[in-house]
Amino acid sequence: MPVMAAKPGHRRRKPAAWDTTKSEYFLKWDAIRGEQIHKDALEFFIQAKDKLDKPFDDPEDKELFIQNVFSQTSGEEVPLVKNSLASQIVEQLIPTVSDEALLPFAAALYQCITELSEDQFASHVLQTLLLSMTCRVQAGTSSLHSDLETWVLTSAEQLQERLPALAGHQYGSHVLRTCLECLAGCRAPQQLTRSRSSQQQRWKSRDAQPVLLDKQKTPPSFTEKFVEMAKAVKNLEGLGECLADQNFSTVVQLVLNILYTLPMLKLSRKLIKRLSKLYFGGSIPEDPTVLPSVFENESLLRVLEAALVSCEEDIFQKLYRKYYRGRLRTLMQENVSSISVQRLVEACPGAEALESVLEELEADPATGWWTTTRVPTALALACVRLHSHQARLMKLAARLCDCESAERAPQLAPCVLYRTTWTEFQRLQGRLASVEIAMDGSLLLQAMLKFSKPTKLITSFLSLRADQLVAVLQSPAGSHVIDALVTSQHMGDKGKTRLLEILKEELVPLACSKHGSRALDALWGAGSPAHRSFIAETLAPQQAQLRDHFFGKFAVRNFALPLFVKKRADWTAYVRREANKRKMFADLLPAAAGGGGGGGGPGPRAAAARRGAAPAKRPRAAATTDALFVIDRSGVQAVLDDLE
């Protein structure tokens, strides 16, 4: 058969190990890599995979079938897990197989676990096996509990013996990280445990839930082994040279993350002290324009950022003074180092640490960092989290946006949103519909609207013309600003009424646009019965137009417009009932995190550390109660069916 020439500029699709577009799996032998095994064995596993994808009449039949599949691996475990196709199927079967069938399989892999840890395909099987074994140990329901625990501990011992080599290996590093997670009984962020390509493999089910571990159910023997391995990392000879390697760097980052999560502050403090004293660049140049050598190596820099997140406030201040103070302006001129400043702000443990950063940024005459980096968003989120310096940051934003005067103050919100100065925004006003709103600007404005006193921003936002508001609400990033606006404690009924009056002539176009419709849903969900009546009264005469539009038809259904036209009393009762629901749940759930204005004392983590207690976790944003009852279709569905 002649080979067809590829079209110019056409990229050939990489062949898959099997064709997933069919109901059956068809092998493409040229795409199978790794250890070569017999064709019959591969066909057997593919048939088993097809059988498992179909429902079983009896769960016991499925369990028996999986055990029979694993019995066929006896004597061939190592070649199978080193084959690209067979290893994927085995990895999917491990969580469902019985302990009696899994232990012999695991024992066969244990014989050469360090060699398999460095294999491209077997390493993934070992990761899944370690997690599955640990989950079974934590469950504590197996009669083979002690055997499962012994396998994990002895495997960890084998990995520890070759810790330097495995930590710096492309595949062995991932197995070592998973082992540390299992011993600690907690999962680290996914980017520290699996590579990006591993997370995106097509053969894995998108609906599969991540494996969760419970540190409360971790056996003491696991914790002792984790401490032993963490100390081995801390005391490793040549640690400084190893940190320059990306894989080894990620292992150290994971250890720091877990030590903070457990928490084991004493060991974490010792590890950070050694890293800082010996390996974060040695002597520090006095000239602030000359950066320490730690900023020249991205792997070292990532470890420094992990140390900032995992340390107590006194150590944070030392690291800030040693590596960052006086150098923020220089650091924010490069993309990689500006991200490090962002991480520094995100890691601020208290108001005192945040004040040090703000003082340096306020003294910097350059303003480019405000519009070109993500540092402003990190600052706003830190102010919300720490309940401090919010008025200070608001004043800084007005100065950098050139909106300090009373005449220019009404343009503050759009300048923050579009990340421009007042002069630049004047040039944009005539063509806002074609100007894309950056996600960073949207996130910054949303965070600042959560301040304790965002009145200036709200007033500024409500001073926009209808066409300017529509340009914001119909953009992918800008449409989310309405959520923070209408849920703000300082956005009262008068403000919402004013917003709806401005948008009155634009409600139909908003309902017929993708992002405008979700903004309208947010207004509906946060509005009072009077506001909902205003929306329904404006949209009801245009029902025919809305029904014929893909997005508009949802407004007809969600806002119960047929019921509003024909049975106004029933519609009013329905709206009041929904308002009472929201009020009831608003009283039960905690209010959204607000924040204090000016300075503040040390953060909760530092205070807890002085008492000798575990550091308090940084507060997460509370869920908004309005989102629970934005739309309730069931209440009027029967009536709507009768009307139609």
Side-chain angles (χ1 to χ4, degrees):
M1 179 181 295
V3 179
M4 296 180 63
K7 297 180 180 179
H10 177 72
R11 180 177 293 179
R12 182 181 176 187
R13 189 182 70 172
K14 186 177 179 180
W18 55 70
D19 188 355
T20 56
T21 61
K22 310 283 182 148
S23 59
E24 300 289 336
Y25 288 92
F26 295 94
L27 286 177
K28 294 183 178 179
W29 298 104
D30 60 335
I32 298 176
R33 295 171 293 163
E35 187 92 3
Q36 295 299 314
I37 59 178
H38 197 274
K39 181 177 178 180
D40 293 341
L42 285 175
E43 290 179 339
F44 168 77
F45 275 96
I46 291 174
Q47 291 172 4
K49 180 66 171 61
D50 287 335
K51 178 70 174 174
L52 287 170
D53 286 342
K54 299 174 182 177
F56 283 77
D57 296 334
D58 190 347
E60 294 183 359
D61 293 342
K62 181 177 182 179
E63 183 179 346
L64 182 61
F65 178 79
I66 293 174
Q67 291 185 17
N68 290 336
V69 172
F70 257 79
S71 66
Q72 300 300 317
T73 66
S74 179
E76 300 292 333
E77 293 89 350
V78 174
L80 285 172
V81 299
K82 295 173 75 173
N83 179 272
S84 63
L85 179 59
S87 65
Q88 294 175 7
I89 299 175
V90 169
E91 187 178 350
Q92 289 178 292
L93 295 176
I94 285 175
T96 57
V97 73
S98 65
D99 297 341
E100 292 77 10
L102 185 60
L103 274 172
F105 176 82
L109 298 187
Y110 171 78
Q111 302 302 322
C112 50
I113 188 170
T114 54
E115 174 193 343
L116 295 177
S117 298
E118 298 178 347
D119 184 82
Q120 181 179 3
F121 307 110
S123 58
H124 294 287
V125 177
L126 286 176
Q127 286 182 269
T128 304
L129 192 57
L130 281 165
L131 287 170
S132 181
M133 288 284 203
T134 305
C135 289
R136 295 165 195 247
V137 170
Q138 291 187 351
T141 57
S142 173
S143 58
L144 301 174
H145 179 274
S146 60
D147 295 332
L148 297 170
E149 184 175 338
T150 301
W151 186 89
V152 176
L153 290 172
T154 53
S155 298
E157 185 68 33
Q158 291 289 329
L159 296 175
Q160 183 180 346
E161 289 179 2
R162 292 202 59 214
L163 190 147
L166 288 176
H169 193 272
Q170 181 180 2
Y171 304 113
S173 171
H174 290 283
V175 179
L176 186 61
R177 296 176 223 169
T178 303
C179 180
L180 289 168
E181 283 186 305
C182 293
L183 294 174
C186 59
R187 303 302 305 270
Q190 195 175 41
Q191 61 267 25
L192 295 181
T193 54
R194 296 194 77 98
S195 65
R196 185 175 300 176
S197 59
S198 172
Q199 298 173 33
Q200 297 175 350
Q201 286 185 14
R202 290 188 300 168
W203 62 271
K204 290 189 176 181
S205 172
R206 294 183 179 180
D207 299 329
Q209 297 296 321
V211 179
L212 301 178
L213 299 175
D214 187 352
K215 61 182 179 181
Q216 304 298 333
K217 298 180 180 179
T218 302
S221 58
F222 278 27
T223 304
E224 293 172 4
K225 189 62 184 175
F226 169 77
V227 172
E228 182 182 337
M229 293 185 71
K231 289 181 177 179
V233 172
K234 177 179 73 72
N235 300 324
L236 191 64
E237 259 186 71
L239 180 60
E241 294 76 14
C242 294
L243 286 176
D245 179 79
Q246 180 181 358
N247 295 310
F248 199 103
S249 168
T250 313
V251 172
V252 178
Q253 293 174 53
L254 181 134
V255 171
L256 288 169
N257 180 277
I258 293 177
L259 288 175
Y260 172 66
T261 304
L262 285 179
M264 295 182 176
L265 298 181
K266 186 176 180 180
L267 181 55
S268 175
R269 193 182 186 96
K270 289 181 178 179
L271 176 56
I272 294 173
K273 184 177 180 180
R274 185 171 188 229
L275 291 171
S276 177
K277 183 178 181 180
L278 301 178
Y279 305 118
F280 282 164
S283 60
I284 305 300
E286 296 181 2
D287 187 355
T289 61
V290 180
L291 297 179
S293 58
V294 65
F295 293 101
E296 298 174 1
N297 185 291
E298 190 171 350
S299 298
L300 273 175
L301 187 54
R302 297 288 90 84
V303 177
L304 175 58
E305 293 168 2
L308 289 169
V309 174
S310 309
C311 66
E312 300 160 273
E313 186 164 9
D314 59 335
I315 298 181
F316 179 93
Q317 291 282 20
K318 291 179 181 179
L319 293 176
Y320 166 71
R321 288 193 296 268
K322 187 174 183 180
Y323 300 106
Y324 290 91
R325 189 169 66 179
R327 299 183 174 87
L328 296 185
R329 180 180 180 182
T330 305
L331 288 170
M332 287 189 290
Q333 294 176 359
E334 298 291 337
N335 184 40
V336 174
S337 55
S338 68
I339 295 176
S340 181
V341 178
Q342 177 189 337
R343 299 284 184 264
L344 170 77
V345 175
E346 292 172 347
C348 281
E352 184 179 349
L354 183 60
E355 184 178 12
S356 302
V357 177
L358 277 172
E359 285 178 354
E360 185 170 346
L361 292 176
E362 287 173 338
D364 185 3
T367 60
W369 63 273
W370 180 265
T371 58
T372 59
T373 71
R374 295 185 175 180
V375 175
T377 304
L379 283 170
L381 292 172
C383 289
V384 173
R385 172 170 56 84
L386 298 173
H387 309 283
S388 64
H389 302 302
Q390 296 176 2
R392 189 172 183 173
L393 183 61
M394 188 79 76
K395 185 177 180 180
L396 178 61
R399 177 170 67 83
L400 295 176
C401 293
D402 198 13
C403 295
E404 290 182 289
S405 64
E407 296 79 12
R408 297 184 177 186
Q411 304 295 326
L412 177 59
C415 286
V416 170
L417 180 61
Y418 287 92
R419 305 192 78 188
T420 63
T421 61
W422 182 88
T423 305
E424 293 172 346
F425 182 71
Q426 300 310 304
R427 293 197 294 265
L428 294 177
Q429 285 197 67
R431 51 186 180 89
L432 286 183
S434 60
V435 178
E436 182 180 359
I437 297 176
M439 181 60 70
D440 293 331
S442 175
L443 293 174
L444 175 58
L445 184 56
Q446 290 178 57
M448 295 180 72
L449 284 170
K450 295 178 182 177
F451 285 1
S452 61
K453 295 181 180 179
T455 310
K456 288 184 179 180
L457 287 174
I458 294 175
T459 304
S460 173
F461 196 86
L462 294 179
S463 67
L464 293 175
R465 302 192 309 267
D467 60 322
Q468 295 174 332
L469 281 173
V470 169
V472 173
L473 301 184
Q474 288 187 340
S475 66
S479 61
H480 292 276
V481 174
I482 199 69
D483 297 324
L485 182 69
V486 298
T487 56
S488 172
Q489 295 179 355
H490 295 268
M491 182 68 169
D493 287 345
K494 290 184 178 179
K496 295 172 186 176
T497 302
R498 171 62 180 159
L499 182 60
L500 288 172
E501 288 175 350
I502 298 173
L503 293 172
K504 182 176 181 179
E505 302 299 327
E506 305 293 341
L507 290 184
V508 174
L510 283 175
C512 293
S513 66
K514 179 179 180 180
H515 301 288
S517 61
R518 71 158 307 279
L520 193 57
D521 282 343
L523 280 169
W524 173 273
S528 65
H531 297 137
R532 294 187 173 191
S533 178
F534 181 90
I535 294 174
E537 189 171 354
T538 305
L539 295 180
Q542 307 298 329
Q543 280 192 69
Q545 178 184 346
L546 295 174
R547 287 179 185 275
D548 293 337
H549 195 276
F550 180 80
F551 295 108
K553 62 185 178 184
F554 294 106
V556 176
R557 181 179 62 185
N558 297 342
F559 304 158
L561 297 184
L563 184 62
F564 177 82
V565 172
K566 297 186 178 182
K567 294 186 178 182
R568 182 74 64 91
D570 292 347
W571 185 91
T572 302
Y574 161 72
V575 171
R576 287 178 178 171
R577 187 165 61 249
E578 291 302 303
N580 291 335
K581 283 183 182 179
R582 291 198 312 279
K583 185 177 183 302
M584 177 183 66
F585 276 83
D587 294 337
L588 294 176
L589 296 177
R605 185 166 60 167
R610 287 197 299 270
R611 295 193 303 268
K617 297 297 181 183
R618 296 167 185 166
R620 297 181 178 179
T624 57
T625 57
D626 294 321
L628 296 175
F629 294 100
V630 172
I631 296 168
D632 184 1
R633 301 169 184 162
S634 60
V636 295
Q637 190 59 50
V639 179
L640 291 177
D641 292 340
D642 294 339
L643 291 174
E644 294 177 356

